[in-house]
């Protein structure tokens, strides 16, 4: 089950982060500050209120437990651009959950927000992330060298994207459902 996360989910969110903190924090900065309810609420609040280009945080629930999720952020409505981010706990990996979350968020981005370009950024060392993006149809555009600092270490970041109808294909949409979708 996938649903929007709000600050009311802060305790469950913090518990799921804290339970798999080492794994989630390997390539992401926010798990270190969201492993308690107050930090989780602070992180979720801008998504709940669509502030600062943050559109949605969605949680994937497996067997009654939060197992991961995804976000749409860096939303630039004027340019119809945004970024898709994803995370999964160790127990949810390899079960198709991440791809399902991505497809649902891609449909939301396209159908409700009129996205024309979606970016995916991941540390070059995060091979699982890049493989998922490529399976979804994202195209590697390049690598930003030494562009990301995590725990004092500078990391290279791969930038991938979907544009126009590539978003529909990645979301599993077979035919346009509304106005022209270029």
């Amino acid at each position: 089950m996938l649903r929007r996360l709000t600050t009311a989910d802060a305790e469950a969110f913090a518990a799921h982060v804290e339970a798999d903190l080492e794994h989630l924090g390997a390539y992401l900065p926010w798990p270190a500050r969201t492993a308690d309810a107050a930090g989780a609420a602070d992180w979720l609040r801008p998504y709940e209120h669509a502030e600062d280009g943050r559109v949605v945080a969605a949680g994937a629930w497996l067997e009654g437990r939060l197992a991961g999720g995804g976000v749409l952020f860096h939303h630039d409505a004027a340019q119809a651009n945004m970024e898709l981010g994803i995370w999964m706990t160790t127990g949810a990996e390899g079960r198709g959950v991440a791809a399902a979350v991505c497809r649902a968020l891609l449909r939301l981005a396209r159908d409700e927000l009129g996205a024309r370009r979606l970016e995916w950024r991941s540390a070059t060392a995060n091979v699982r992330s890049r493989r998922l993006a490529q399976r979804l149809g994202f195209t590697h555009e390049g690598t930003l060298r030494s562009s990301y600092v995590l725990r004092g270490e500078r990391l290279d970041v791969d930038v991938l994207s979907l544009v126009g109808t590539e978003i529909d294909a990645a979301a599993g949409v077979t035919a346009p459902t509304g106005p022209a979708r270029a």
Side-chain angles (χ1 to χ4, degrees):
M1 179 178 82
L2 183 69
R3 70 170 174 78
R4 287 180 187 253
L5 294 170
T6 69
T7 53
D9 297 303
E11 285 187 32
F13 188 86
H16 113 275
V17 169
E18 199 276 326
D20 208 6
L21 186 58
E22 186 175 330
H23 171 73
L24 294 173
Y27 300 108
L28 299 169
W30 55 262
R33 61 181 187 272
T34 61
D36 63 56
D42 287 346
W43 189 81
L44 290 167
R45 190 171 292 107
Y47 289 101
E48 181 176 6
H49 299 289
E51 298 171 348
D52 301 323
R54 294 180 178 119
V55 179
V56 64
W61 301 81
L62 272 177
E63 300 158 2
R65 297 182 54 165
L66 187 57
V71 290
L72 292 173
F73 63 116
H74 293 148
H75 183 222
D76 179 345
Q79 299 299 318
N81 297 336
M82 68 189 70
E83 187 173 339
L84 170 64
I86 187 83
W87 74 93
M88 285 294 131
T89 58
T90 306
E93 288 183 335
R95 299 176 69 178
V97 178
V101 168
C102 289
R103 287 186 187 99
L105 289 176
L106 289 168
R107 283 190 296 275
L108 176 94
R110 189 73 159 144
D111 294 342
E112 294 184 29
L113 301 167
R116 304 288 178 137
R117 175 184 170 82
L118 272 130
E119 287 188 8
W120 181 293
R121 293 177 180 235
S122 65
T124 56
N126 190 348
V127 175
R128 289 182 71 104
S129 178
R130 180 160 173 185
R131 271 192 259 163
L132 173 59
Q134 289 175 318
R135 277 195 313 272
L136 289 166
F138 280 79
T139 298
H140 183 253
E141 294 184 334
T143 300
L144 303 173
R145 298 179 311 139
S146 191
S147 73
Y148 180 62
V149 178
L150 184 63
R151 290 183 302 282
E153 182 181 348
R154 297 198 67 84
L155 303 175
D156 295 346
V157 173
D158 288 328
V159 179
L160 299 94
S161 72
L162 293 170
V163 296
T165 57
E166 294 170 357
I167 301 167
D168 302 322
V173 175
T174 56
T177 57
R181 299 171 75 77

